[in-house]
Amino acid sequence: MAASRRAWLVFGFSAEEAAGEPGPGPGSGPRRLEPGPGGIRRVWPAWSYVVVETGAGLELRSAGRRRRLRGWAEALPSETHLVLRGPAAVRAWPREAALRGALRGPPAWSRALPPGPRHPSPLPLLPGGFARPRPPFFAALPGAVRARQLALGHEHALALGAAGEAYAWGGGRHGQLGHGTLESEREPRLVEALAGVPLRAVAAGGWHSASVSEAGDLYVWGWNESGQLGLPARALAEERAPDTATGTGDAELTPRREQPAAEDAAFISIQAFPALLDLPQDLEVSEVSCGSRHTAVVTRGGELYTWGWGKYGQLGHGDNTSSDQPLRVEYLVAEGLRAEEVVCGPWTTYVCVLEPSKPPAPTTMAAGREEDTGKLCSSPSPLGEGARSPPGQDLARFSPQ
C-alpha cells in the first residue's frame, strides 16, 4: 500500500486574476500549491494573495512572486493591511508595503506581547482581546469571555468559549449574529439558541456564520442571498427558471439536480436563528470554513462539500454555478484524495488532502520569483458585496432535497 502525503489544492479566484491577468477558469480543475521546504502546514488566504507556512517558515505568495517572511509565526491579512504575529509583538503594515516587501520601517500599528505559552491561541486572538486586519487593529474582550477560537466576518465576530459555547457581536442586519433579530450588538452576547450544544468550531463569512458541534452537526445562520447557508435561495431559483420554462438558457445556470420551481419553493433570504443543516446521508462534519458568500465543510469520512456563490469556480464542481444545496466535490473522490482541512478565502477554497505517493497533476500555481524580505505574512479576511436585509424565518432543521 503506497504511503500517503499531504498536499494543498485551491479552487476559485487566482492571484493572476486579482492582478488583472487572465485566470485559469473554473473548468480547469484545482491548482496545486508549491509545497516549499518541508511541505505546507497552514494557509492564510486574502483576496489577492496568500501566506503559507512551510517547514522553512512563512512565505507570501502573490501573482508571480514569493517572499520569505522571516521572524513571523502567524498572519491576518486583508486588502488594506497585513497583521503579523511574532514571539514578542504583533504588527500591521499597509497591504501595498507588504506586497513590496517594505516592512523595515515603522509599522502602521504595533502591540507588545507579554510572555506567555509556547503555543498561544491562534490569531486573531491576542492576550486581553483580538486583532483586526484593518483599523482599529485591536479590540478588548470582556473577561467573562474566555475564547479559544475567534472568527471575523465583514461586519461581525464569533467567539468559541472554553466550554464550547458561542458568542456573537457586531453588525447584525443580515441575521449573522444568530440572536433572532437584525439588530447589532456592541459586546459579545451568548448565542442562546446553541446553549447546551457543545461546539468544537465556529466560522464567519462575509455576512453569514456557521458552527460545528462536538457530535459533528452543522449549524448555519445569517444571509442566504447566494445559497451560502445551503437553504433555498430565491435568486438561484430565478436564475434556473428560464431553463425550466423553455428548455434553453445559459448553460452556466443549469441546475445539477431537479429542484422545485421558483413559485413553489420556501425561500430563505435571512436566517436569524441557527438552523441545523443535514448533509446528504446524514454525514458528520469535522471542519467548516466560510468565504465571502460560500461555505465548505470536511466530513469525518474525508469528503469535501461546498455550496453558495460559485462565480469563480470556488465550489470546486468544475463550473461557475452557484448552489443552495451542499454538493460533494467529486474531483477529490475521482482522484482518490481524502480531505483533511479546508480554509476559505473570500473567493477561493483551499483544501488539504492526503494523496498517494504518486499524485495526479492538476495545474501548478506559478511559483514566480522568490524574495527575502526579512518579515511579512497574512491571514483570511472576509470580502463581499452590498447587502439587503428583508426579515427571514426560523427553521429547526434542513435536509437536502
Side-chain angles (χ1 to χ4, degrees):
M1 182 176 177
S4 297
R5 66 177 185 179
R6 285 164 55 98
W8 282 87
L9 309 177
V10 56
F11 298 93
F13 196 68
S14 67
E16 288 72 26
E17 288 172 291
E21 302 171 7
S28 62
R31 306 180 301 279
R32 182 182 303 275
L33 296 186
E34 288 268 339
I40 294 175
R41 299 173 181 176
R42 292 185 290 177
V43 300
W44 294 273
W47 181 74
S48 62
Y49 60 101
V50 62
V51 173
V52 302
E53 180 187 26
T54 72
L58 298 186
E59 183 176 274
L60 172 71
R61 299 183 181 184
S62 59
R65 285 197 162 185
R66 292 167 56 172
R67 300 179 185 274
R68 292 277 183 90
L69 312 174
R70 298 187 188 277
W72 300 107
E74 287 186 286
L76 185 66
S78 75
E79 292 304 304
T80 63
H81 290 82
L82 177 63
V83 176
L84 304 175
R85 179 178 185 158
V90 56
R91 294 173 181 166
W93 280 272
R95 170 188 170 276
E96 292 303 322
L99 294 180
R100 294 195 311 268
L103 303 182
R104 304 185 186 280
W109 170 76
S110 180
R111 184 179 179 88
L113 297 177
R118 184 174 180 182
H119 300 289
S121 299
L123 280 177
L125 283 173
L126 292 172
F130 62 96
R132 293 185 174 121
R134 56 185 65 84
F137 293 106
F138 180 81
L141 276 176
V145 179
R146 297 173 54 230
R148 56 185 166 124
Q149 183 202 351
L150 193 139
L152 297 176
H154 191 72
E155 300 174 343
H156 73 296
L158 298 175
L160 178 64
E165 72 278 27
Y167 300 87
W169 68 102
R173 60 182 174 145
H174 302 309
Q176 64 262 52
L177 302 185
H179 300 316
T181 74
L182 306 184
E183 301 297 321
S184 298
E185 296 284 343
R186 294 181 60 88
E187 298 293 332
R189 176 182 167 186
L190 181 70
V191 181
E192 296 179 5
L194 295 174
V197 180
L199 302 176
R200 61 176 297 171
V202 294
W207 297 275
H208 72 290
S209 305
S211 66
V212 177
S213 74
E214 292 286 358
D217 292 325
L218 176 66
Y219 296 88
V220 294
W221 62 97
W223 200 30
N224 192 49
E225 180 267 352
S226 297
Q228 57 263 54
L229 301 186
L231 309 180
R234 179 179 295 276
L236 301 191
E238 290 175 348
E239 288 177 349
R240 292 188 292 261
D243 296 319
T244 304
T246 67
T248 61
D250 193 335
E252 295 179 354
L253 304 179
T254 302
R256 290 187 189 79
R257 62 177 73 178
E258 187 174 331
Q259 299 194 32
E263 60 270 22
D264 298 328
F267 300 115
I268 306 300
S269 175
I270 287 178
Q271 177 64 31
F273 282 108
L276 177 60
L277 182 67
D278 286 338
L279 294 186
Q281 303 168 352
D282 293 326
L283 295 171
E284 295 178 348
V285 173
S286 61
E287 292 208 1
V288 61
S289 186
C290 298
S292 175
R293 290 186 286 151
H294 74 288
T295 305
V297 300
V298 173
T299 70
R300 289 181 174 176
E303 295 179 323
L304 178 66
Y305 280 77
T306 62
W307 59 93
W309 188 52
K311 180 177 179 179
Y312 291 96
Q314 60 264 48
L315 302 186
H317 303 307
D319 57 23
N320 60 358
T321 304
S322 299
S323 173
D324 54 9
Q325 296 185 14
L327 297 175
R328 187 173 68 175
V329 176
E330 298 297 340
Y331 174 88
L332 303 188
V333 178
E335 298 295 333
L337 305 176
R338 178 186 174 91
E340 294 282 296
E341 301 175 48
V342 65
V343 179
C344 291
W347 299 355
T348 52
T349 302
Y350 289 76
V351 56
C352 178
V353 298
L354 285 182
E355 60 180 2
S357 57
K358 192 173 182 180
T363 305
T364 299
M365 292 183 69
R369 179 166 59 91
E370 181 175 307
E371 298 186 11
D372 196 336
T373 63
K375 299 178 180 178
L376 180 64
C377 169
S378 98
S379 168
S381 69
L383 184 72
E385 300 170 10
R388 40 185 193 275
S389 54
Q393 53 183 293
D394 302 341
L395 297 175
R397 191 181 191 102
F398 283 89
S399 300
Q401 307 210 358

